[in-house]
Amino acid sequence: MATSSKAKKTVRIASGRKRARQDVKLNAANTALRSKFRTVIKNVQKAVLAGDKAKAADLFTSAQKVIDSVADKGIFHKNKAARHKSRLSTAIKAMSAAQ
């Protein structure tokens, strides 16, 4: 997507060529982290829907580290990370109240 359009640009200045190479690598790293962020959230949500409170709580503790890491790196805003953690936490707490 974004990497293919950057690869097609022909930059004449050496520093610009280097920047274009770095952008491809950074984009790949950011994409991987964004994907990991979404995956850990989906895993917790699946555990909540399955009704497995212990597994959901365990996945949530590991997901918090990933969510905070992505927010610290600036890939997502800190408020977005906090919102996701809050909603997941609320869903897990609601499971114990329902039982």
Side-chain angles (χ1 to χ4, degrees), residues 4-57:
S4 62
S5 64
K6 289 189 180 207
K8 291 180 183 177
K9 292 181 182 176
T10 54
V11 182
R12 296 182 185 276
I13 299 171
S15 61
R17 287 195 303 265
K18 181 178 179 181
R19 187 76 236 170
R21 286 195 310 269
Q22 289 174 334
D23 285 345
V24 171
K25 291 178 186 176
L26 286 171
N27 188 16
N30 289 344
T31 302
L33 285 171
R34 204 175 299 117
S35 175
K36 189 173 185 179
F37 174 88
R38 292 181 183 133
T39 302
V40 295
I41 289 173
K42 286 178 188 175
N43 288 341
V44 175
Q45 289 172 339
K46 285 179 186 176
V48 169
L49 287 176
D52 191 357
K53 184 177 187 294
K55 183 177 179 183

